[in-house]
Amino acid sequence: MTNSHAVRIQNMDKYYGTFHALKGIDLSVAQGEKVVVCGPSGSGKSTLIRCINRLEEYHAGSINVFGTELDDNLDNIDEIRRETGMVFQHFNLFPHMTILENCTLAPMLVRKQSRAEAEEIAMEYLHKVKIPEQADKFPGQLSGGQQQRVAIARALCMKPKIMLFDEPTSALDPEMIAEVLDVMVKLADEGMTMICVTHEMGFARQVADRVVFMSDGEVVEQADPKTFFNAPQQERTKAFLGQILGH
Amino acid sequence: MAKTYHPPSVIEAIRADYFSTRLNSVVTVTFATFVAWAIWQLVNWGLINATFSEENKDACGHGAGGACWAVIDARWRLVLFGLYPFEEQWRSGIACVAIVITGILSCVPWFWNARRLSGLWVGGFLVFYILMRGGILGLTPVFEQNWGGLSLTIFIFATTTLLGMPLAIVFALLRRSELPWIARTMGVVIDTIRSLPLLSIMFTFAIVLPFVLPGWMIGDKLYRVIVGYALFFACYQAEIIRGGMQALSPGQEEAAKALGMGYWHRIGYIVLPQAFRNALPPTINQLVITFKETSLVVIIGFFEILASGNAAYGNADWNFAHVEVYCFVGFIYFIFVFALSRYGAHLERRMAVAQR
């Protein structure tokens, strides 16, 4: 088995009770590749990326992340979560800790870094997301855009091999979307492997190597952005693009 | 003419708040008169017409119309130390102070990690136990059935909460388990214990348990009662903590999972700190209730402070002075409970700043 893929999902099924949420998903993401997942709400995009780090359980098929099989072995789950960073729609910063503590907690506990080492790395990433001066504040004192940038920095502090973004800009006021997307573009330029669930089609055009369109729990179509936006093949894709682009 | 703003004077403010309508004026005057009368009566009884020292004891009680604080002057050692041997009561006093200091120190943030806090309390209890129990260092042994008064009350309260709080956390975590049979079993246990009266639990642990337990596990009646009380406390507190956990958004645990944090790290650093913040007001409430209900140990023959108070006026010389003794005991309860609730309010303010 080669390790050139970052994530390989094969024939994966997921149910909520009797509801068939994901149907026979096949999806591979190469190292360094940036994949944007889009589709109407309820199509299973979030569920799909939450399966990759086992925030959701899947029921059939297989998922392999950087050569580690995501099965019921708890060690494997821990291993995959250590190497996978995730950014959530609602930031999910820890409100009882300062920004710096948010960023150093997991590296100290999970990576066993010393406090000094963890703080140095944290400040480096806070610089990168352009809010080092907020390090001693609490999340509640920051704007939504700032909080989301901290959440990105927090995930990066674990030095993940892949970043999962679950609608990172959907809960933001419009004027704050750009500052978060800027950080994500920079991250992409540096070669990070990324899977982004987003409705930001500008970001998809600019950054994505591939756009994956999902509907009703299935991958309907995937293509490079140019082909995807200019010459979609499937009816459902055309209808979706018509709705979000064709005002 | 346009309105201009000028800050109201004191008299204007009072008039606006208390005398704005005829009805308001009537209510204000009526209540002010009543409060003034009540305060006057109280001062008259408690201070002006009161007898303070034991030498003037004869002036007490017989139509003088004032409080007879002489009873406290004469019997305060019985109230504070119960049946503890008279010439050894300094030990009980120091032990009591040691536990109170331990309690105050554990309110200081510097002590807020597992090692410091446990070291502090082990030390505090060791000092308390050696002083109270004696038998070493040349101290005469004093057995648990002779402990009493304020030090016994504080000892029961401290041990109950220190035993009960970790137990409550365990109960709350089990009740929230992902395995339904564990969660449901814990739910039944908690609901069962909560549905029993505290008195019957204390009785069971003090009187019934010795028939069931093997000899080496029996211990003194006092410790069995404390274990029973801690179990009772834990069941209530577990539900309080669980409530605090339910107020957390699921995203908090998900974020911790996504960062690779294991179960105990998630619980210890993310879930419990926030759950306790959310549950602070009911937790303080539960501590206050627990402190006051220590008085129930009197039914199995322990002379904690309220029972000692009963004994203090319970002889021919002083049997008219029960009100004064109860005022004294009530005042001591008040100091502890008031301090506890002020500290709770302080913590809430502190956390409000962090969580804004």
Side-chain angles (χ1 to χ4, degrees):
Chain A
M1 185 175 68
T2 68
N3 267 351
S4 65
H5 74 271
V7 176
R8 191 174 57 210
I9 302 170
Q10 287 174 314
N11 203 17
M12 188 260 277
D13 286 290
K14 156 94 188 154
Y15 294 84
Y16 288 112
T18 56
F19 176 66
H20 201 169
L22 294 175
K23 302 167 188 164
I25 303 286
D26 279 300
L27 184 70
S28 277
V29 178
Q31 283 189 30
E33 195 180 11
K34 295 106 186 78
V35 173
V36 164
V37 182
C38 62
S41 74
S43 60
K45 344 179 263 300
S46 286
T47 308
L48 173 63
I49 71 163
R50 286 161 60 86
C51 281
I52 295 172
N53 65 351
R54 206 28 169 338
L55 292 184
E56 302 279 355
E57 205 174 333
Y58 64 94
H59 299 103
S62 72
I63 298 181
N64 186 297
V65 183
F66 287 101
T68 306
E69 203 60 35
L70 180 61
D71 46 25
D72 289 332
N73 183 333
L74 294 179
D75 290 338
N76 286 358
I77 296 175
D78 285 346
E79 168 70 19
I80 287 170
R81 282 179 180 165
R82 274 197 294 274
E83 306 304 334
T84 311
M86 189 167 206
V87 175
F88 299 85
Q89 181 177 1
H90 295 289
F91 331 136
N92 294 347
L93 294 180
F94 305 132
H96 60 303
M97 297 180 180
T98 64
I99 300 309
L100 191 62
E101 287 165 346
N102 264 277
C103 294
T104 56
L105 182 69
M108 284 165 63
L109 293 176
V110 180
R111 294 263 192 240
K112 310 289 178 208
Q113 291 173 1
S114 70
R115 178 177 295 277
E117 192 184 354
E119 286 184 351
E120 196 188 319
I121 295 171
M123 287 313 293
E124 189 183 308
Y125 282 113
L126 287 175
H127 268 287
K128 192 170 198 163
V129 302
K130 302 200 186 76
I131 33 178
E133 71 282 359
Q134 312 282 13
D136 293 323
K137 290 199 180 159
F138 286 91
Q141 296 168 294
L142 270 55
S143 73
Q146 290 174 321
Q147 289 193 48
Q148 193 60 298
R149 284 185 282 148
V150 171
I152 295 174
R154 177 176 72 175
L156 291 175
C157 283
M158 284 293 287
K159 307 259 181 187
K161 294 182 188 158
I162 180 171
M163 287 285 285
L164 309 174
F165 291 86
D166 186 4
E167 307 206 23
T169 56
S170 302
L172 294 175
D173 290 334
E175 75 270 21
M176 294 173 182
I177 291 176
E179 66 188 54
V180 171
L181 289 180
D182 280 349
V183 171
M184 290 169 63
V185 169
K186 206 160 84 179
L187 201 59
D189 289 345
E190 288 167 8
M192 175 64 78
T193 310
M194 294 163 68
I195 304 180
C196 309
V197 173
T198 181
H199 297 294
E200 295 297 329
M201 290 303 134
F203 174 81
R205 275 206 176 91
Q206 184 187 351
V207 170
D209 297 312
R210 183 155 43 118
V211 180
V212 173
F213 175 71
M214 289 183 70
S215 184
D216 304 316
E218 294 171 307
V219 173
V220 174
E221 182 166 356
Q222 42 183 321
D224 64 277
K226 207 177 237 171
T227 319
F228 181 82
F229 289 112
N230 297 338
Q233 302 297 306
Q234 303 290 327
E235 284 309 314
R236 280 189 283 182
T237 317
K238 288 175 191 165
F240 175 73
L241 287 176
Q243 275 165 359
I244 64 166
L245 299 174
H247 303 297
Chain B
M1 201 180 89
K3 284 178 78 170
T4 52
Y5 178 77
H6 64 98
S9 70
V10 176
I11 292 178
E12 281 171 334
I14 291 175
R15 187 178 296 158
D17 287 347
Y18 301 101
F19 298 95
S20 53
T21 67
R22 195 167 298 161
L23 178 63
N24 270 357
S25 306
V26 171
V27 171
T28 300
V29 170
T30 313
F31 274 91
T33 314
F34 175 74
V35 169
W37 175 81
I39 289 175
W40 170 244
Q41 290 293 317
L42 214 59
V43 169
N44 227 351
W45 175 80
L47 296 173
I48 296 173
N49 292 334
T51 318
F52 287 94
S53 103
E54 201 189 344
E55 285 101 71
N56 305 331
K57 162 172 189 298
D58 293 342
C60 268
H62 311 292
C68 180
W69 301 120
V71 66
I72 308 301
D73 190 31
R75 310 282 276 181
W76 65 272
R77 292 177 67 142
L78 184 57
V79 177
L80 289 186
F81 304 119
L83 300 177
Y84 208 80
F86 192 80
E87 58 283 3
E88 304 288 343
Q89 283 175 356
W90 60 272
R91 281 161 50 184
S92 182
I94 298 176
C96 187
V97 171
I99 284 288
V100 170
I101 288 177
T102 309
I104 292 173
L105 284 182
S106 53
C107 294
V108 178
W110 189 81
F111 281 100
W112 290 354
N113 68 47
R115 198 183 318 141
R116 283 177 191 159
L117 212 54
S118 51
L120 180 71
W121 278 98
V122 168
F125 276 128
L126 216 59
V127 170
F128 182 91
Y129 186 76
I130 290 171
L131 277 167
M132 289 297 281
R133 184 66 168 67
I136 53 168
L137 303 173
L139 299 169
T140 351
V142 178
F143 294 102
E144 280 85 354
Q145 68 252 33
N146 288 328
W147 295 8
L150 184 59
S151 26
L152 183 65
T153 294
I154 292 177
F155 177 72
I156 294 172
F157 173 64
T159 40
T160 298
T161 49
L162 251 70
L163 223 61
M165 198 58 94
L167 205 58
I169 293 171
V170 172
F171 283 5
L173 291 177
L174 288 177
R175 177 125 204 215
R176 232 179 59 113
S177 163
E178 281 170 17
L179 302 174
W181 61 273
I182 291 185
R184 264 185 228 132
T185 311
M186 199 63 240
V188 170
V189 170
I190 288 176
D191 287 343
T192 307
I193 294 179
R194 286 199 307 172
S195 67
L196 299 173
L198 177 54
L199 219 53
S200 67
I201 289 178
M202 284 185 168
F203 243 143
T204 310
F205 274 76
I207 316 293
V208 182
L209 226 48
F211 296 111
V212 187
L213 289 178
W216 58 271
M217 274 188 74
I218 292 181
D220 190 87
K221 188 163 68 166
L222 175 61
Y223 304 117
R224 292 200 306 273
V225 170
I226 287 172
V227 169
Y229 196 11
L231 193 66
F232 186 79
F233 171 82
C235 289
Y236 278 87
Q237 183 61 25
E239 287 297 277
I240 292 173
I241 295 173
R242 192 170 68 98
M245 287 176 177
Q246 275 174 344
L248 279 191
S249 92
Q252 289 290 309
E253 268 208 272
E254 282 178 3
K257 277 184 190 172
L259 286 164
M261 291 168 64
Y263 178 78
W264 293 110
H265 282 157
R266 298 200 297 271
I267 297 298
Y269 289 90
I270 306 302
V271 176
L272 282 182
Q274 296 191 64
F276 268 101
R277 267 154 225 251
N278 296 337
L280 189 65
T283 300
I284 295 288
N285 198 24
Q286 191 61 35
L287 291 176
V288 166
I289 292 172
T290 305
F291 184 76
K292 292 193 292 187
E293 287 187 346
T294 51
S295 59
L296 287 178
V297 298
V298 67
I299 60 124
I300 44 147
F302 281 109
F303 276 64
E304 50 63 65
I305 190 159
L306 193 60
S308 312
N310 285 336
Y313 72 81
N315 69 2
D317 282 350
W318 296 108
N319 58 11
F320 58 89
H322 54 274
V323 175
E324 288 82 348
V325 172
Y326 283 135
C327 282
F328 180 63
V329 173
F331 182 66
I332 292 172
Y333 272 111
F334 174 80
I335 290 173
F336 281 94
V337 170
F338 190 68
L340 202 56
S341 51
R342 287 292 82 200
Y343 179 64
H346 163 76
L347 279 185
E348 272 181 60
R349 274 197 305 278
R350 202 183 124 99
M351 287 165 186
V353 173
Q355 209 139 15
R356 186 156 48 93

